[in-house]
Amino acid sequence: MMDGSGNSLATAACSDGTKRRVCYFYDSEVGNYYYGQGHPMKPHRIRMTHALLAHYGLLQNLQVYKPNPARERDLCRFHADDYVSFLRTVTPETQQDQIRSLKRFNVGEDCPVFDGLYSFCQTYAGGSVGGAVKLNHGHDIAINWAGGLHHAKKCEASGFCYVNDIVLAILELLKKHERVLYVDIDIHHGDGVEEAFYTTDRVMTVSFHKFGDYFPGTGDIRDVGYGKGKYYSLNVPLDDGIDDESYQSLFKPLIGKVMEVFRPGAVVLQCGADSLSGDRLGCFNLSIKGHAECVRYMRSFNVPLLLLGGGGYTIRNVARCWCYETGVALGVELDDKMPQHEYFEYFGPDYTLHVAPSNMENKNSRQLLDDIRSKLLDNLSKLRHAPSVQFQERPPETEFPEADEDQEDPDERHDPDSDMDVDDPKLPDEPSRKTPSTSIQNIRIKKEVGENELKEQDAQKGTSEHIKNGEVMTEEIPSAKASEAGPMSIDESNNVKMEEDNRNKLPDAPVSTFPKS
């Protein structure tokens, strides 16, 4: 709910009537990528969203950044080296010569090879990691509507997703924050992110999704995590036709309890818009305001918040939703009458920001919702307090020194004496510079015996790398300089070391998937 000035009114969580420092990542080329004729995933929706933001005047209230493309070694913090190498080299012209790899990495019909595939992955992953870096350095909210591709796995593509930018962003946030909360309101289960952090108590994943005969077929209420991660995965299985009131009757009490017991240092909210009424692939009945109420509620906790895109296949409604939610992030209420802009014809005949939900049946009975809420609150009650976590090896903090405007040469793009890591696109990454992927899966737990081995472990820390933050697009924001960190341990025990399995080998049998509805 908004007051007359456009700021959110106070909620039960905390006072929310203050402005936030919000940054926004956007690459003007992102709308040019094309999955292929008839494919429901259309990156053009990101360009449509940006046009709405511009014509509603929201960009002047945002710090706008062009993301620096994620590099191969950045992607390998989670993904297998050979999978990333495949994405980098495969093209529509050469894919027929790589049939075995296409099957191995689940690239084909749902996840096709298209022109610029690897650049697309670098762009959307770079925006999410860049947003995490900004949150680690003082921003309140970071937005990357091109991100949120939550199905991608360590060694395979899935559900239109190739690189899991969310996992990479969470790993960046874990450099500063002991605990990170991931919340997913896409209609599909956030399986890739849950799987990545299924055995750790440092990341809690909460997914609200359609469950049943529906892609990806995972996300049962009984799936709660494993080992140290038990009860740190929360799945909210829903049926067709859920409306705003029913959705919020679960979202607010569950998330309120999660915030109370888990106490995250940062939150990642995946705002998949396929949970909206009338989506091409979805079967929920949320209005844009109902969907955005999740953003408003998460904003009210005053915890660093990363907003990401995700699904959404009726693209005019995707653009409407993410534009409105950008306004919510800023604390600005937008006029329902849409301003004239280059994609105005997409929004006829009403040319309004909001659309009415349908009269479809809500198959989520009050009894069903009560049972789900009761069961999940009971699971949360087993988390008596936030886990006390210490890093075994804390990566160096990424720093952003302030530029001296009096000494800045506006005509010089890069200082030749700077130690900023700038990749030469003509030179391939050397194998020795790759870092092991930071998957929570495929790890070996090794007991350390004796002080000598512990000292040797400390002496063999990984080398530092450089993660560049997004390149500034607005003139008033100085260019930033960053140093990045190597991979880190997720486990907090003093006598247990979690090591990466660098072999990155796939099982002989492919992972089974379920067809999309």
Side-chain angles (χ1 to χ4, degrees), residues 10 67 175 213 233 237 283 287 289 322 324 403:
K175 292 179 181 180
D213 184 18
S233 291
C283 51
S287 71
K289 287 188 176 180
W322 292 345
Y324 183 74

Side-chain angles (χ1 to χ4, degrees), residues 90-164:
V90 71
T91 67
E93 292 74 30
T94 64
Q95 62 177 322
Q96 292 305 316
D97 300 327
Q98 303 182 62
I99 299 298
R100 187 174 179 180
S101 293
L102 290 171
K103 291 181 178 179
R104 178 186 180 194
F105 298 125
N106 196 35
V107 174
E109 187 174 351
D110 272 2
C111 303
V113 177
F114 56 84
D115 286 331
L117 168 60
Y118 187 63
S119 295
F120 175 63
C121 295
Q122 288 181 295
T123 297
Y124 75 75
S128 296
V129 174
V133 170
K134 287 298 183 186
L135 293 182
N136 282 350
H137 289 85
H139 277 76
D140 301 307
I141 301 175
I143 301 172
N144 177 33
W145 294 130
L149 277 65
H150 57 174
H151 295 306
K153 310 297 196 303
K154 174 187 174 68
C155 300
E156 68 173 32
S158 177
F160 314 159
C161 308
Y162 303 87
V163 164
N164 201 313

Side-chain angles (χ1 to χ4, degrees), residues 289-495:
K289 287 188 176 180
H291 193 275
E293 187 62 28
C294 300
V295 178
R296 196 185 315 279
Y297 189 64
M298 296 312 310
R299 179 187 189 269
S300 72
F301 289 96
N302 271 328
V303 173
L305 177 62
L306 178 60
L307 298 179
L308 302 175
Y313 308 101
T314 301
I315 61 175
R316 61 184 181 275
N317 291 345
V318 176
R320 285 173 159 125
C321 181
W322 292 345
C323 173
Y324 183 74
E325 289 176 344
T326 303
V328 170
L330 288 165
V332 174
E333 186 66 35
L334 302 180
D335 190 345
D336 188 38
K337 183 179 179 181
M338 192 170 288
Q340 283 277 353
H341 64 289
E342 56 267 42
Y343 303 112
F344 191 66
E345 68 276 7
Y346 279 78
F347 301 95
D350 297 328
Y351 305 102
T352 56
L353 189 60
H354 295 280
V355 290
S358 73
N359 59 356
M360 71 184 299
E361 178 190 359
N362 183 356
K363 295 184 178 180
N364 299 270
S365 67
R366 185 170 296 276
Q367 182 63 48
L368 174 66
L369 297 173
D370 289 345
D371 290 346
I372 291 172
R373 183 170 56 250
S374 176
K375 173 63 175 174
L376 294 177
L377 287 174
D378 181 61
N379 286 351
L380 288 170
S381 71
K382 296 169 184 175
L383 303 178
R384 292 183 176 85
H385 55 81
S388 177
V389 182
Q390 294 181 352
F391 288 110
Q392 272 193 305
E393 179 181 333
R394 184 182 292 274
E397 295 292 346
T398 308
E399 296 181 356
F400 292 90
E402 295 294 331
D404 186 340
E405 295 182 0
D406 294 333
Q407 298 180 7
E408 193 174 50
D409 183 356
D411 297 325
E412 189 170 46
R413 177 74 180 251
H414 294 293
D415 180 355
D417 297 325
S418 170
D419 61 354
M420 178 182 284
D421 188 0
V422 179
D423 283 346
D424 184 348
K426 298 179 182 177
L427 298 176
D429 285 345
E430 298 175 10
S432 61
R433 297 176 67 192
K434 288 184 182 177
T435 56
S437 63
T438 315
S439 174
I440 312 305
Q441 308 297 321
N442 297 327
I443 54 178
R444 290 175 289 134
I445 299 182
K446 184 174 81 175
K447 301 243 182 201
E448 298 295 336
V449 183
E451 295 181 356
N452 291 335
E453 288 191 21
L454 287 172
K455 291 178 181 178
E456 181 180 354
Q457 173 193 344
D458 291 336
Q460 293 179 348
K461 290 180 180 177
T463 57
S464 295
E465 300 175 350
H466 290 276
I467 291 206
K468 298 177 292 186
N469 67 300
E471 175 185 329
V472 179
M473 293 179 68
T474 53
E475 293 181 359
E476 71 267 28
I477 310 167
S479 62
K481 174 178 169 183
S483 64
E484 75 183 37
M488 67 178 187
S489 171
I490 299 297
D491 192 75
E492 74 280 6
S493 174
N494 289 330
N495 65 342

